[in-house]
């Protein structure tokens, strides 16, 4: 949001049986990971010329999302995910809205759940340290200009 972006919504809708039906959980999780992977690849493309360090960070996040996708596919019994080279279906982040529409707040569809606040996440994690990687944009040090 510091760079001018805004969330698409403050709440989202999930299928009612998400936590009681393994198939619904797997299908929902796999779909959301596919959308996320594609969205971050699209963001990397969108930022490549103007902000290459940020584009590299988006590529890092896309790689992480692709790992989630593969792990969820394996745990769901589908085996390795079929997309060995995920597609960047979105040219920019705003293009994800139609794909995310089923998960955004829609009256009467699924259980509307507010996004968790930072305090909620900390309460769940407790005092356990959370290891974090460093984003390319934080690690990148441009070469001195000659």
């Amino acid at each position: 949001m510091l760079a001018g972006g805004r969330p698409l919504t403050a709440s989202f809708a999930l299928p009612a049986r998400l936590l009681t039906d393994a198939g619904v959980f797997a299908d929902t999780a796999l779909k959301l990971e596919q959308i996320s992977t594609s969205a971050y690849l699209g963001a990397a493309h969108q930022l490549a010329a103007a902000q290459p360090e940020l584009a590299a960070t988006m590529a890092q996040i896309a790689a992480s999302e692709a790992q989630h996708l593969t792990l969820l596919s394996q745990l769901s019994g589908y085996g390795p995910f079929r997309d060995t080279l995920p597609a960047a279906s979105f040219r920019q982040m705003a293009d994800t809205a139609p794909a995310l529409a089923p998960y955004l707040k829609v009256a009467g569809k699924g259980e509307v759940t507010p996004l968790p606040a930072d305090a909620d996440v900390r309460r769940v994690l407790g005092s356990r340290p959370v290891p974090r990687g460093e984003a390319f944009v934080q690690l990148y040090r441009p070469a001195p200009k000659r």
Side-chain angles (χ1 to χ4, degrees), residues 1-2 10 15 31 53 78-79 81 85 88 96 110 114 127-128 141 144:
M1 293 213 295
L2 296 174
K31 183 64 176 170
E53 297 86 6
Y78 296 121
F81 195 70
L85 190 60
T96 62
S127 61
R128 290 178 287 176
R141 303 288 181 259

Side-chain angles (χ1 to χ4, degrees), residues 12-135:
F12 55 95
L14 297 171
R17 298 178 318 175
L18 181 79
L19 298 177
T20 59
D21 184 319
V24 170
F25 178 86
D27 290 345
T28 302
L30 289 167
K31 183 64 176 170
L32 287 171
E33 290 298 342
Q34 284 179 293
I35 293 169
S36 297
T37 301
S38 183
Y40 284 111
L41 288 170
H45 175 267
Q46 182 181 1
L47 294 166
Q51 296 179 291
E53 297 86 6
L54 193 53
T57 299
M58 294 299 104
Q60 279 183 295
I61 297 170
S64 177
E65 296 295 341
Q67 287 178 326
H68 298 161
L69 186 55
T70 298
L71 181 59
L72 281 165
S73 183
Q74 191 72 32
L75 291 173
S76 299
Y78 296 121
F81 195 70
R82 66 187 176 280
D83 289 343
T84 57
L85 190 60
S89 302
F90 309 108
R91 300 286 284 177
Q92 53 190 358
M93 293 299 278
D95 294 342
T96 62
L100 290 172
Y103 307 103
L104 300 179
K105 184 177 178 179
V106 178
K109 287 193 174 185
E111 179 182 326
V112 176
T113 309
L115 295 173
D118 289 347
D120 297 327
V121 174
R122 280 195 277 293
R123 193 171 25 260
V124 170
L125 293 175
S127 61
R128 290 178 287 176
V130 179
R132 294 181 179 220
E134 290 191 68

